[in-house]
Amino acid sequence: MPYVAKLEKAGIPTVVVDYEDQFELVKETALIHGVPNVRLVHSSRLVPGPAAGDEFIEPMMEALTKPLTK
């Protein structure tokens, strides 16, 4: 998470891809590193990699293009 915080604070949009059941852990870690509104996209633990990619490409692009939070 430190690298994500550094990029976000530099104005570079960043997205963390994680598993949905790790949401609270990622949010707490983001808060510790000063980026409480980090952009998150959840990936599936059940769908194989290439197929899962199809599911999160659109949310990933949406997250990367929305305005940065202060």
Side-chain angles (χ1 to χ4, degrees):
M1 188 66 66
Y3 52 91
V4 171
K6 184 176 180 178
L7 291 170
E8 282 284 324
K9 289 176 182 178
I12 300 169
T14 308
V15 176
V16 174
V17 178
D18 71 337
Y19 298 118
E20 193 166 0
D21 62 343
Q22 297 292 310
F23 178 74
E24 291 302 321
L25 173 67
V26 172
K27 291 302 279 183
E28 286 180 32
T29 305
L31 183 60
I32 289 168
H33 289 282
V35 285
N37 297 314
V38 68
R39 302 151 193 260
L40 299 171
V41 173
H42 300 295
S43 182
S44 172
R45 287 189 185 270
L46 305 174
V47 180
D54 292 340
E55 293 178 10
F56 71 79
I57 290 297
E58 189 173 325
M60 174 79 72
M61 295 308 292
E62 207 172 286
L64 285 170
T65 57
K66 73 179 184 181
L68 291 168
T69 55
K70 291 187 180 196

Coordinates of all heavy atoms in Angstrom, one line a residue:
M1 N 0.8 -1.2 0.0 CA 0.0 0.0 0.0 C 0.9 1.3 0.0 O 0.4 2.3 -0.5 CB -0.9 0.0 1.2 CG -1.9 1.1 1.2 SD -3.2 1.1 -0.1 CE -4.1 -0.4 0.3
P2 N 2.1 1.3 0.5 CA 2.8 2.5 0.5 C 3.0 3.0 -0.9 O 3.0 4.3 -1.2 CB 4.2 2.1 1.1 CG 3.9 0.9 1.9 CD 2.8 0.2 1.2
Y3 N 3.3 2.2 -1.9 CA 3.5 2.6 -3.3 C 2.2 3.2 -3.9 O 2.2 4.2 -4.6 CB 3.9 1.4 -4.1 CG 3.1 0.2 -4.1 CD1 2.0 0.0 -4.9 CD2 3.3 -0.7 -3.1 CE1 1.2 -1.1 -4.8 CE2 2.5 -1.8 -3.0 CZ 1.4 -2.0 -3.8 OH 0.6 -3.1 -3.7
V4 N 1.0 2.7 -3.5 CA -0.2 3.2 -3.9 C -0.4 4.6 -3.4 O -0.8 5.5 -4.1 CB -1.4 2.3 -3.6 CG1 -2.7 3.0 -3.8 CG2 -1.3 1.0 -4.3
A5 N -0.2 4.8 -2.1 CA -0.3 6.1 -1.4 C 0.6 7.1 -2.1 O 0.2 8.2 -2.3 CB 0.0 5.9 0.1
K6 N 1.8 6.7 -2.4 CA 2.8 7.6 -3.0 C 2.3 8.1 -4.3 O 2.3 9.3 -4.7 CB 4.1 7.0 -3.1 CG 5.2 7.8 -3.7 CD 6.5 7.1 -3.7 CE 7.6 8.0 -4.3 NZ 8.9 7.4 -4.2
L7 N 1.8 7.2 -5.2 CA 1.3 7.5 -6.5 C 0.0 8.4 -6.4 O -0.1 9.4 -7.1 CB 0.9 6.3 -7.3 CG 2.1 5.5 -7.7 CD1 1.7 4.1 -8.3 CD2 3.0 6.2 -8.7
E8 N -0.9 8.0 -5.5 CA -2.1 8.8 -5.3 C -1.8 10.2 -4.9 O -2.4 11.2 -5.4 CB -3.1 8.1 -4.4 CG -3.9 7.0 -4.9 CD -5.0 7.4 -5.8 OE1 -5.7 8.4 -5.6 OE2 -5.3 6.7 -6.8
K9 N -0.9 10.4 -3.9 CA -0.6 11.7 -3.4 C 0.2 12.5 -4.4 O 0.2 13.7 -4.4 CB 0.3 11.5 -2.1 CG -0.5 11.0 -0.9 CD 0.3 10.8 0.3 CE -0.5 10.2 1.4 NZ 0.4 9.9 2.6
A10 N 0.8 11.9 -5.4 CA 1.4 12.6 -6.5 C 0.5 12.9 -7.6 O 0.9 13.5 -8.6 CB 2.6 11.7 -7.1
G11 N -0.8 12.5 -7.5 CA -1.8 12.9 -8.5 C -2.0 11.8 -9.6 O -2.6 12.1 -10.6
I12 N -1.4 10.7 -9.3 CA -1.5 9.6 -10.3 C -2.5 8.6 -9.9 O -2.4 8.0 -8.9 CB -0.1 8.9 -10.5 CG1 1.0 9.9 -10.9 CG2 -0.2 7.7 -11.4 CD1 2.4 9.4 -10.8
P13 N -3.6 8.5 -10.7 CA -4.7 7.6 -10.3 C -4.2 6.1 -10.2 O -3.4 5.7 -11.0 CB -5.7 7.7 -11.4 CG -5.4 9.0 -12.1 CD -3.9 9.2 -11.9
T14 N -4.6 5.5 -9.1 CA -4.2 4.1 -8.9 C -5.4 3.3 -8.4 O -6.3 3.8 -7.7 CB -3.1 4.1 -7.7 OG1 -2.1 5.0 -8.1 CG2 -2.5 2.8 -7.6
V15 N -5.4 2.0 -8.8 CA -6.5 1.2 -8.4 C -5.9 -0.1 -7.7 O -5.0 -0.7 -8.2 CB -7.4 0.7 -9.6 CG1 -8.4 -0.3 -9.2 CG2 -8.0 1.9 -10.2
V16 N -6.4 -0.4 -6.6 CA -6.0 -1.7 -5.9 C -7.0 -2.8 -6.3 O -8.2 -2.6 -6.2 CB -6.1 -1.5 -4.4 CG1 -5.8 -2.8 -3.7 CG2 -5.1 -0.4 -3.9
V17 N -6.5 -3.9 -6.8 CA -7.3 -5.0 -7.1 C -7.2 -6.0 -6.0 O -6.1 -6.4 -5.6 CB -6.9 -5.7 -8.4 CG1 -7.7 -6.9 -8.7 CG2 -6.9 -4.7 -9.6
D18 N -8.3 -6.3 -5.4 CA -8.3 -7.2 -4.2 C -9.5 -8.2 -4.3 O -10.3 -8.1 -5.1 CB -8.3 -6.5 -2.9 CG -9.6 -5.8 -2.6 OD1 -10.3 -5.5 -3.5 OD2 -9.9 -5.5 -1.4
Y19 N -9.5 -9.1 -3.3 CA -10.7 -9.9 -3.2 C -11.7 -9.3 -2.3 O -11.3 -8.6 -1.3 CB -10.3 -11.3 -2.6 CG -9.3 -12.0 -3.4 CD1 -8.1 -12.4 -3.0 CD2 -9.7 -12.5 -4.7 CE1 -7.2 -13.1 -3.7 CE2 -8.8 -13.1 -5.5 CZ -7.5 -13.4 -5.0 OH -6.6 -14.1 -5.8
E20 N -13.0 -9.5 -2.6 CA -14.0 -8.8 -1.8 C -14.0 -9.0 -0.3 O -14.2 -8.2 0.5 CB -15.4 -9.2 -2.4 CG -16.5 -8.2 -1.9 CD -17.8 -8.4 -2.7 OE1 -17.9 -9.2 -3.6 OE2 -18.7 -7.7 -2.3
D21 N -13.6 -10.2 0.1 CA -13.5 -10.6 1.5 C -12.3 -9.9 2.2 O -12.2 -10.0 3.4 CB -13.5 -12.1 1.7 CG -12.3 -12.8 1.1 OD1 -11.7 -12.2 0.2 OD2 -12.1 -13.9 1.5
Q22 N -11.5 -9.2 1.4 CA -10.4 -8.5 2.0 C -10.6 -7.0 2.1 O -9.7 -6.2 2.5 CB -9.1 -8.7 1.1 CG -8.7 -10.1 1.1 CD -8.1 -10.6 2.4 OE1 -7.3 -9.9 3.0 NE2 -8.6 -11.7 2.9
F23 N -11.8 -6.6 1.8 CA -12.2 -5.1 1.8 C -11.8 -4.4 3.0 O -11.2 -3.3 3.0 CB -13.7 -5.0 1.5 CG -14.2 -3.6 1.5 CD1 -13.9 -2.8 0.4 CD2 -14.9 -3.1 2.6 CE1 -14.4 -1.5 0.4 CE2 -15.3 -1.7 2.6 CZ -15.1 -1.0 1.5
E24 N -12.2 -4.9 4.2 CA -11.9 -4.2 5.5 C -10.4 -4.0 5.7 O -9.9 -3.0 6.1 CB -12.5 -4.9 6.7 CG -14.1 -4.7 6.7 CD -14.5 -3.3 6.7 OE1 -13.9 -2.4 7.3 OE2 -15.5 -3.0 6.0
L25 N -9.6 -5.1 5.4 CA -8.2 -5.0 5.5 C -7.6 -4.0 4.6 O -6.7 -3.2 5.1 CB -7.6 -6.4 5.2 CG -6.0 -6.5 5.2 CD1 -5.5 -6.2 6.6 CD2 -5.6 -7.8 4.6
V26 N -8.0 -3.9 3.4 CA -7.5 -3.0 2.4 C -7.8 -1.5 2.9 O -7.0 -0.6 2.8 CB -8.0 -3.3 1.0 CG1 -7.6 -2.1 0.1 CG2 -7.4 -4.6 0.5
K27 N -9.1 -1.3 3.3 CA -9.5 0.0 3.8 C -8.7 0.5 5.0 O -8.3 1.6 5.0 CB -11.0 0.0 4.1 CG -11.9 -0.1 2.8 CD -11.7 0.9 1.8 CE -12.4 2.2 2.1 NZ -12.2 3.3 1.1
E28 N -8.5 -0.4 5.9 CA -7.7 -0.1 7.1 C -6.2 0.2 6.7 O -5.6 1.2 7.2 CB -7.7 -1.2 8.1 CG -9.0 -1.3 8.9 CD -9.0 -2.5 9.9 OE1 -8.0 -2.8 10.4 OE2 -10.1 -3.1 10.1
T29 N -5.7 -0.5 5.8 CA -4.3 -0.3 5.4 C -4.2 1.0 4.6 O -3.2 1.8 4.8 CB -3.8 -1.5 4.5 OG1 -4.0 -2.7 5.2 CG2 -2.4 -1.3 4.1
A30 N -5.2 1.3 3.8 CA -5.2 2.6 3.1 C -5.3 3.8 4.1 O -4.6 4.8 3.9 CB -6.4 2.6 2.1
L31 N -6.1 3.6 5.1 CA -6.2 4.7 6.1 C -4.9 4.9 6.8 O -4.5 6.1 7.0 CB -7.3 4.3 7.1 CG -7.6 5.3 8.2 CD1 -8.1 6.6 7.6 CD2 -8.7 4.8 9.1
I32 N -4.2 3.9 7.1 CA -2.9 4.0 7.8 C -1.9 4.7 6.9 O -1.1 5.5 7.4 CB -2.4 2.6 8.2 CG1 -3.2 2.0 9.3 CG2 -0.9 2.6 8.5 CD1 -2.9 0.5 9.5
H33 N -2.0 4.5 5.6 CA -1.1 5.1 4.7 C -1.5 6.5 4.1 O -0.9 7.0 3.2 CB -0.7 4.2 3.6 CG 0.1 3.0 4.0 ND1 1.5 3.1 4.3 CD2 -0.2 1.8 4.4 CE1 1.9 2.0 4.7 NE2 0.9 1.1 4.8
G34 N -2.6 7.0 4.7 CA -3.1 8.3 4.3 C -3.9 8.4 3.0 O -4.0 9.5 2.5
V35 N -4.4 7.3 2.5 CA -5.3 7.4 1.3 C -6.6 6.6 1.6 O -6.9 5.5 1.1 CB -4.6 6.8 0.1 CG1 -3.5 7.7 -0.5 CG2 -3.9 5.4 0.4
P36 N -7.4 7.2 2.5 CA -8.6 6.5 3.0 C -9.6 6.2 1.8 O -10.5 5.3 2.0 CB -9.2 7.4 4.0 CG -8.6 8.7 3.7 CD -7.3 8.5 3.1
N37 N -9.6 7.0 0.8 CA -10.5 6.8 -0.3 C -9.8 6.1 -1.5 O -10.2 6.4 -2.7 CB -11.1 8.2 -0.7 CG -11.8 8.8 0.4 OD1 -12.7 8.1 1.0 ND2 -11.6 10.0 0.6
V38 N -8.9 5.2 -1.2 CA -8.2 4.5 -2.3 C -9.3 3.8 -3.2 O -10.3 3.4 -2.8 CB -7.2 3.5 -1.8 CG1 -7.9 2.3 -1.1 CG2 -6.3 3.0 -2.8
R39 N -9.0 3.8 -4.5 CA -9.8 3.2 -5.5 C -9.7 1.6 -5.4 O -8.6 1.1 -5.5 CB -9.5 3.7 -6.9 CG -9.6 5.2 -7.0 CD -8.6 5.6 -8.1 NE -8.3 7.0 -8.1 CZ -8.9 7.9 -8.9 NH1 -9.7 7.4 -9.8 NH2 -8.7 9.1 -8.8
L40 N -10.8 0.9 -5.3 CA -10.8 -0.5 -5.2 C -11.6 -1.2 -6.3 O -12.7 -0.7 -6.6 CB -11.3 -1.0 -3.9 CG -10.6 -0.5 -2.6 CD1 -11.5 -0.8 -1.4 CD2 -9.3 -1.1 -2.5
V41 N -11.1 -2.3 -6.8 CA -11.8 -3.1 -7.7 C -11.6 -4.5 -7.2 O -10.5 -5.0 -6.9 CB -11.3 -3.0 -9.2 CG1 -12.0 -4.0 -10.0 CG2 -11.5 -1.6 -9.7
H42 N -12.8 -5.2 -7.0 CA -12.7 -6.6 -6.5 C -12.5 -7.6 -7.6 O -13.1 -7.5 -8.7 CB -14.0 -6.9 -5.7 CG -14.1 -6.0 -4.5 ND1 -13.3 -6.0 -3.5 CD2 -15.1 -5.1 -4.3 CE1 -13.7 -5.0 -2.6 NE2 -14.8 -4.5 -3.1
S43 N -11.7 -8.6 -7.3 CA -11.5 -9.7 -8.2 C -12.1 -11.0 -7.6 O -12.3 -11.0 -6.4 CB -10.0 -9.9 -8.5 OG -9.9 -11.0 -9.4
S44 N -12.5 -11.9 -8.4 CA -13.1 -13.2 -7.9 C -12.0 -14.2 -7.5 O -11.0 -14.3 -8.2 CB -14.0 -13.7 -9.0 OG -14.4 -15.0 -8.6
R45 N -12.3 -14.9 -6.4 CA -11.5 -16.0 -6.0 C -11.8 -17.3 -6.8 O -11.1 -18.2 -6.8 CB -11.6 -16.3 -4.5 CG -11.0 -15.3 -3.7 CD -11.0 -15.8 -2.2 NE -10.5 -14.8 -1.3 CZ -9.2 -14.7 -0.9 NH1 -8.3 -15.5 -1.4 NH2 -8.9 -13.8 0.0
L46 N -13.0 -17.2 -7.4 CA -13.5 -18.4 -8.1 C -13.4 -18.5 -9.6 O -13.3 -19.6 -10.2 CB -15.0 -18.6 -7.7 CG -15.4 -18.6 -6.2 CD1 -16.8 -18.6 -6.0 CD2 -14.7 -19.7 -5.5
V47 N -13.3 -17.3 -10.2 CA -13.2 -17.3 -11.7 C -11.8 -17.2 -12.1 O -11.0 -16.4 -11.5 CB -14.0 -16.0 -12.2 CG1 -13.9 -16.0 -13.7 CG2 -15.4 -16.0 -11.8
P48 N -11.3 -18.1 -13.0 CA -9.9 -18.1 -13.4 C -9.5 -16.7 -14.0 O -10.3 -16.0 -14.5 CB -9.9 -19.1 -14.5 CG -11.1 -19.9 -14.4 CD -12.1 -19.0 -13.7
G49 N -8.2 -16.4 -13.9 CA -7.6 -15.1 -14.2 C -8.1 -14.5 -15.5 O -8.7 -13.4 -15.5
P50 N -8.0 -15.1 -16.7 CA -8.4 -14.4 -17.9 C -9.9 -14.1 -17.9 O -10.3 -13.0 -18.3 CB -8.1 -15.4 -19.0 CG -6.9 -16.2 -18.4 CD -7.2 -16.3 -17.0
A51 N -10.7 -15.0 -17.4 CA -12.2 -14.8 -17.4 C -12.5 -13.7 -16.3 O -13.4 -12.9 -16.6 CB -12.9 -16.1 -17.0
A52 N -11.8 -13.7 -15.2 CA -12.0 -12.6 -14.2 C -11.7 -11.3 -14.8 O -12.3 -10.3 -14.4 CB -11.2 -12.9 -13.0
G53 N -10.7 -11.2 -15.6 CA -10.3 -9.9 -16.2 C -11.4 -9.3 -17.0 O -11.6 -8.1 -16.9
D54 N -12.2 -10.1 -17.6 CA -13.3 -9.5 -18.4 C -14.3 -8.9 -17.4 O -15.0 -7.9 -17.8 CB -14.0 -10.6 -19.2 CG -13.2 -11.1 -20.3 OD1 -12.3 -10.4 -20.7 OD2 -13.5 -12.2 -20.8
E55 N -14.4 -9.4 -16.2 CA -15.4 -8.9 -15.2 C -14.9 -7.5 -14.6 O -15.7 -6.8 -14.1 CB -15.6 -9.9 -14.1 CG -16.3 -11.1 -14.6 CD -16.5 -12.1 -13.5 OE1 -16.3 -11.8 -12.3 OE2 -16.9 -13.2 -13.8
F56 N -13.6 -7.3 -14.5 CA -13.2 -6.1 -13.8 C -12.5 -5.0 -14.7 O -12.1 -4.0 -14.2 CB -12.4 -6.4 -12.5 CG -11.0 -6.9 -12.7 CD1 -9.9 -6.1 -13.0 CD2 -10.7 -8.2 -12.5 CE1 -8.7 -6.5 -13.2 CE2 -9.4 -8.7 -12.7 CZ -8.4 -7.9 -13.0
I57 N -12.4 -5.3 -16.0 CA -11.8 -4.2 -16.9 C -12.7 -3.0 -16.8 O -12.1 -1.9 -16.7 CB -11.7 -4.8 -18.3 CG1 -10.6 -5.9 -18.4 CG2 -11.4 -3.7 -19.3 CD1 -9.2 -5.4 -18.0
E58 N -14.0 -3.1 -17.0 CA -14.8 -1.9 -17.0 C -14.7 -1.1 -15.7 O -14.5 0.1 -15.6 CB -16.2 -2.2 -17.3 CG -17.1 -0.9 -17.6 CD -18.5 -1.3 -18.1 OE1 -18.6 -2.2 -18.8 OE2 -19.4 -0.6 -17.7
P59 N -14.9 -1.8 -14.5 CA -14.8 -1.1 -13.2 C -13.4 -0.5 -13.0 O -13.2 0.6 -12.5 CB -15.1 -2.1 -12.2 CG -15.8 -3.2 -12.9 CD -15.4 -3.2 -14.3
M60 N -12.4 -1.2 -13.6 CA -11.0 -0.6 -13.5 C -10.8 0.7 -14.2 O -10.3 1.6 -13.7 CB -10.0 -1.7 -14.0 CG -8.6 -1.2 -14.1 SD -7.7 -1.3 -12.5 CE -7.5 -3.0 -12.3
M61 N -11.3 0.7 -15.5 CA -11.2 1.9 -16.3 C -12.0 3.0 -15.7 O -11.6 4.2 -15.7 CB -11.7 1.6 -17.7 CG -10.8 0.6 -18.4 SD -9.1 1.0 -18.4 CE -9.1 2.5 -19.4
E62 N -13.2 2.7 -15.1 CA -14.0 3.7 -14.5 C -13.3 4.3 -13.3 O -13.3 5.5 -13.1 CB -15.3 3.0 -14.0 CG -16.5 4.0 -13.9 CD -17.8 3.2 -13.7 OE1 -18.2 2.5 -14.6 OE2 -18.2 3.2 -12.5
A63 N -12.7 3.4 -12.5 CA -12.0 3.9 -11.3 C -10.8 4.8 -11.7 O -10.5 5.8 -11.0 CB -11.5 2.7 -10.4
L64 N -10.1 4.4 -12.7 CA -8.9 5.1 -13.1 C -9.2 6.5 -13.7 O -8.4 7.4 -13.7 CB -8.0 4.3 -14.1 CG -7.3 3.2 -13.6 CD1 -6.7 2.3 -14.7 CD2 -6.1 3.7 -12.6
T65 N -10.4 6.7 -14.2 CA -10.7 7.9 -14.9 C -11.6 8.9 -14.1 O -11.8 10.0 -14.5 CB -11.4 7.7 -16.3 OG1 -12.6 6.8 -16.0 CG2 -10.5 6.9 -17.2
K66 N -12.0 8.4 -12.9 CA -12.8 9.4 -12.1 C -11.8 10.3 -11.4 O -10.7 10.0 -11.2 CB -13.7 8.6 -11.1 CG -13.0 8.0 -9.9 CD -14.0 7.3 -9.0 CE -13.2 6.7 -7.8 NZ -14.1 6.0 -6.9
P67 N -12.3 11.5 -11.0 CA -11.4 12.5 -10.4 C -10.8 12.0 -9.1 O -11.4 11.3 -8.4 CB -12.3 13.7 -10.2 CG -13.5 13.5 -11.1 CD -13.7 12.0 -11.2
L68 N -9.6 12.4 -8.9 CA -8.9 12.1 -7.6 C -9.6 12.8 -6.5 O -10.2 13.9 -6.6 CB -7.5 12.6 -7.6 CG -6.5 11.9 -8.6 CD1 -5.2 12.7 -8.7 CD2 -6.2 10.5 -8.1
T69 N -9.6 12.2 -5.3 CA -10.2 12.8 -4.1 C -9.1 13.6 -3.5 O -7.9 13.4 -3.6 CB -10.7 11.8 -3.1 OG1 -9.6 10.9 -2.8 CG2 -11.9 11.0 -3.7
K70 N -9.5 14.6 -2.7 CA -8.5 15.5 -2.0 C -7.9 14.8 -0.9 O -8.4 13.9 -0.3 CB -9.2 16.8 -1.5 CG -9.6 17.6 -2.7 CD -10.2 18.9 -2.2 CE -10.6 19.8 -3.4 NZ -10.7 21.1 -3.1

